[in-house]
Amino acid sequence: MRLALFYLVLVVAQGFLGALMAPLPPPDLFLIGVLTLLYRLPAWQLVLLGYGAGLVQDLVGHGALGVHALGLAGAALVASTVRLQLSQEGFLERSLAVLAAAAGKWAVVALLLAWLAEGSVTWISVGAVAALDAAFTVAAAVLLLPWGFALLARTKALRKELL
């Protein structure tokens, strides 16, 4: 119940922060929600979960359907790859995984923006938004990921021996 409430708070807070930080991009709380399961799920399941969470983000928010879905799937793939290269699960390792996930998300989103806008994308503005989004997401992850990991440690769901 607490874990479901945690994810519900992330969805509501994403909408609230989007309105509150209007000219600036809010932190991607859907990405943080996916990354709470980084150490619990295999890479292919995390990518599918990232796609599903991004699809929910596309349906709840606005924009082209599938952009966030593919972005979060790319972020989950990059974060899983970085996680496999790291030997520990401490603060710096988690921050590096979140930063790599944000970079992976924006690499996919930038390709999709170039394709959808037919090449008329200003890369400086995309880079500025990506840098702000990554910085805010890492800052929010510092606060939210330990909370999510603690809630996951209490539940018996999604344990590696059960998957």
Side-chain angles (χ1 to χ4, degrees):
M1 181 67 182
R2 290 180 186 168
L3 190 61
L5 182 65
F6 172 74
Y7 289 118
L8 183 65
V9 165
L10 287 182
V11 170
V12 171
Q14 181 70 50
F16 179 71
L17 286 175
L20 186 66
M21 300 175 63
L24 299 174
D28 194 351
L29 301 182
F30 282 88
L31 176 63
I32 293 172
V34 169
L35 292 181
T36 56
L37 298 170
L38 180 64
Y39 299 102
R40 293 271 182 148
L41 296 177
W44 68 273
Q45 289 177 350
L46 193 68
V47 169
L48 288 177
L49 178 75
Y51 185 82
L55 201 56
V56 169
Q57 189 175 9
D58 285 331
L59 291 173
V60 170
H62 55 34
L65 188 63
V67 173
H68 286 106
L70 289 173
L72 287 186
L77 183 63
V78 170
S80 295
T81 304
V82 168
R83 176 189 54 105
L84 292 175
Q85 303 301 319
L86 300 174
S87 61
Q88 297 178 1
E89 297 178 13
F91 170 76
L92 291 175
E93 289 82 6
R94 278 185 266 161
S95 298
L96 181 63
V98 173
L99 189 61
K105 177 187 100 168
W106 276 99
V108 171
V109 168
L111 288 173
L112 289 172
L113 285 175
W115 177 51
L116 291 173
E118 297 175 357
S120 64
V121 176
T122 57
W123 294 107
I124 295 173
S125 62
V126 171
V129 171
L132 283 172
D133 177 67
F136 291 148
T137 301
V138 170
V142 167
L143 298 173
L144 295 173
L145 278 180
W147 185 25
F149 290 151
L151 289 173
L152 279 171
R154 290 183 184 175
T155 183
K156 294 180 181 177
L158 297 173
R159 291 195 181 196
K160 286 196 175 194
E161 61 267 9
L162 298 176
L163 297 176

